[in-house]
Amino acid sequence: MKQNVIHIGFPKTGTTSLQEYFFSKHPQINYLGQPYDSDEILNAIEVELRKTPLLYKNNSQLIKNVFLKEISSNSNDEKKINLLSAEGLSFQERHLPDRTLIANRLCDIFGKESKIIITIRNQKKFILSMYSQSIRSGYYLSLSAFIEYLVNYYETASFLSQIHYLNLINYYEKLFGKENVLVLCFEELIEDEDLFLSKICEFIEVKNINIKLPKRNPGLGKSSILIQRLLNRIVTYDLGRPHFSPGVRLPGKRGHSLRGSYKYLTYRITDRISPFLPFNSKLQFPKSWEERFSQIFKEDNKILNDEYNLNLKKYNYPGF
C-alpha cells in the first residue's frame, strides 16, 4: 500500500507553483491534484469534497472509487506516493462546508495514516494578496474598507477567522497524528527554495530533486490598483456588484459577454502598463490596522512559533 499525502494549502502560499512544477513533475509522486487530469477527479475534489454539505454521506463510496480509479490508472512501481494538492481544502471564503468536515472526509477516503502538508503565510501579507485578487475580480473600494469589512464580519461572511491557522492544524493532528502533519511558512519558500522543497521531500520520503520554481508574479502596485479600482467602477462585475456577492454569469462564454470582455481587457491592460507607472510602489499593510491584527492573531501565532519552530518573528507575523 503506497503512502498517501495531502497538501491542503493554504492559498497564497505558492500552491500553484508547487502543484504545476514540483508535485506533478516529481518522478516518485503519483499526482492527483490541480491541474486536474479528468473531470471526474475535479468534481470529486471541488464539489463533493469541498462544497457539498449533505450528499457526501450517501455518495462516499462512489467518491472513494473515483480516487481509487485515478490512483490505479496512473500509478507504477517508480511512484512511491499518491499526492493530492488543493488549497481549497483548507480555505472556504463562505464558510461552507465546515473545514473540519472536509478533514473528516479526507480521513475517510485516504486513511488516518496519510501525511498532511500545511503551508501558511503572514496574515497581513495574505490579506494584501487577497485584496489584489479582489481588485482583479471587480472590487473597487480601498484597502482599509476591505480590511474593515473582514474585521466587522469576522464570524459570518468574512474569511478572516479562517487564517487562524492553529485551529485547523490541531484538528488535522487529532485525525492523522502530529507526526504526520508538516507545517511550513511561505516565507521560507521565498527565502530558501531548495531548503523548503527538501523539507517536503524528507517528510514524504522521496528523493530531493533539482527543480526550480518560476518567479512569482509581483502583483499590482499602488498606482495600478488605483487605476483598476477606477475602471471597476465604470463597468461593475463580480465582486463589484455588490459587496462580495457571487458574480452574475451572462449567457454564453464569459469572454463573449460585455462584463467578461471588459474584465479581461482592463486587467490585461493594467498588468501591461504596471511596470511603467510612476509611484507604483508595493502595497503595504495599513499601520492603522497593525495593532488590531496583533490582538486578533497574537495568541495563536505565538503557539505556532514555539511548537513548530517556525520563526514567525523573523517574518513579522502579527503579534511579534
Side-chain angles (χ1 to χ4, degrees):
M1 198 70 178
K2 295 185 178 181
Q3 175 73 62
N4 292 325
V5 178
I6 309 166
H7 172 226
I8 66 169
F10 282 72
K12 307 301 181 184
T13 59
T15 50
T16 300
S17 294
L18 289 171
Q19 290 159 356
E20 295 185 0
Y21 298 96
F22 183 62
F23 296 144
S24 59
K25 304 296 184 186
H26 198 293
Q28 292 180 296
I29 293 177
N30 177 35
Y31 183 60
L32 306 174
Q34 298 168 300
Y36 303 115
D37 287 336
S38 70
D39 289 339
E40 271 191 315
I41 198 80
L42 184 153
N43 184 71
I45 294 169
E46 298 296 341
V47 178
E48 303 291 354
L49 273 176
R50 288 187 53 209
K51 297 180 180 177
T52 309
L54 299 176
L55 299 181
Y56 176 81
K57 186 174 181 180
N58 294 332
N59 295 331
S60 58
Q61 191 55 53
L62 294 176
I63 298 168
K64 289 179 189 179
N65 290 341
V66 170
F67 288 105
L68 289 173
K69 178 182 175 183
E70 192 76 12
I71 288 169
S72 62
S73 63
N74 292 296
S75 187
N76 59 51
D77 292 338
E78 294 180 358
K79 296 187 175 181
K80 295 181 61 177
I81 66 166
N82 305 305
L83 192 148
L84 168 64
S85 176
E87 59 267 32
L89 299 173
S90 64
F91 185 78
Q92 300 276 13
E93 286 194 52
R94 300 185 187 279
H95 293 257
L96 290 171
D98 187 273
R99 294 178 299 167
T100 59
L101 184 61
I102 295 174
N104 292 337
R105 294 172 178 178
L106 291 172
C107 188
D108 180 42
I109 293 171
F110 294 99
K112 63 181 180 181
E113 299 82 15
S114 301
K115 291 190 174 184
I116 308 298
I117 300 172
I118 303 175
T119 45
I120 65 172
R121 184 176 186 174
N122 183 324
Q123 288 95 343
K124 293 180 290 186
K125 300 290 186 181
F126 187 98
I127 296 300
L128 294 179
S129 183
M130 289 297 290
Y131 176 69
S132 181
Q133 178 179 309
S134 296
I135 293 296
R136 292 176 182 273
S137 297
Y139 188 74
Y140 49 71
L141 298 183
S142 68
L143 175 59
S144 290
F146 181 79
I147 296 173
E148 184 176 4
Y149 174 89
L150 296 178
V151 173
N152 288 345
Y153 294 91
Y154 177 83
E155 294 181 343
T156 52
S158 163
F159 63 76
L160 194 60
S161 62
Q162 297 194 56
I163 51 177
H164 270 290
Y165 305 120
L166 185 62
N167 291 338
L168 193 63
I169 291 169
N170 286 341
Y171 194 81
Y172 272 89
E173 288 181 346
K174 178 182 175 182
L175 287 179
F176 297 94
K178 189 167 186 175
E179 70 281 2
N180 287 329
V181 177
L182 174 68
V183 182
L184 294 171
C185 292
F186 170 71
E187 291 78 13
E188 292 181 88
L189 174 61
I190 300 304
E191 184 177 72
D192 192 335
E193 180 181 301
D194 291 337
L195 179 59
F196 183 92
L197 296 179
S198 71
K199 287 182 178 180
I200 293 178
C201 290
E202 181 181 0
F203 177 67
I204 64 179
E205 300 181 63
V206 297
K207 63 183 179 182
N208 191 12
I209 60 175
N210 185 23
I211 293 180
K212 292 297 180 185
L213 303 181
K215 291 184 178 180
R216 293 187 310 116
N217 187 335
L220 301 177
K222 291 180 179 178
S223 298
S224 47
I225 282 179
L226 178 60
I227 291 172
Q228 189 65 57
R229 285 174 57 198
L230 293 172
L231 292 171
N232 290 348
R233 280 186 176 272
I234 296 173
V235 175
T236 58
Y237 55 86
D238 294 352
L239 296 184
R241 195 192 60 257
H243 209 48
F244 287 91
S245 69
V248 175
R249 290 184 177 274
L250 300 180
K253 294 182 179 180
R254 187 194 317 209
H256 295 164
S257 70
L258 173 61
R259 290 196 188 107
S261 298
Y262 182 82
K263 173 181 180 177
Y264 177 79
L265 180 64
T266 56
Y267 71 57
R268 289 286 291 178
I269 291 173
T270 306
D271 269 346
R272 290 292 181 88
I273 67 173
S274 185
F276 309 104
L277 292 174
F279 312 109
N280 200 28
S281 57
K282 195 173 182 179
L283 196 64
Q284 300 294 322
F285 192 83
K287 291 187 180 298
S288 58
W289 285 101
E290 288 272 1
E291 182 58 34
R292 186 74 180 99
F293 266 60
S294 179
Q295 294 170 359
I296 293 172
F297 294 108
K298 180 177 181 179
E299 185 176 347
D300 279 9
N301 283 350
K302 292 279 188 184
I303 296 172
L304 275 176
N305 183 75
D306 296 340
E307 291 193 6
Y308 297 89
N309 194 29
L310 294 177
N311 202 4
L312 301 187
K313 182 177 181 180
K314 177 182 180 181
Y315 304 123
N316 194 31
Y317 275 59
F320 292 93

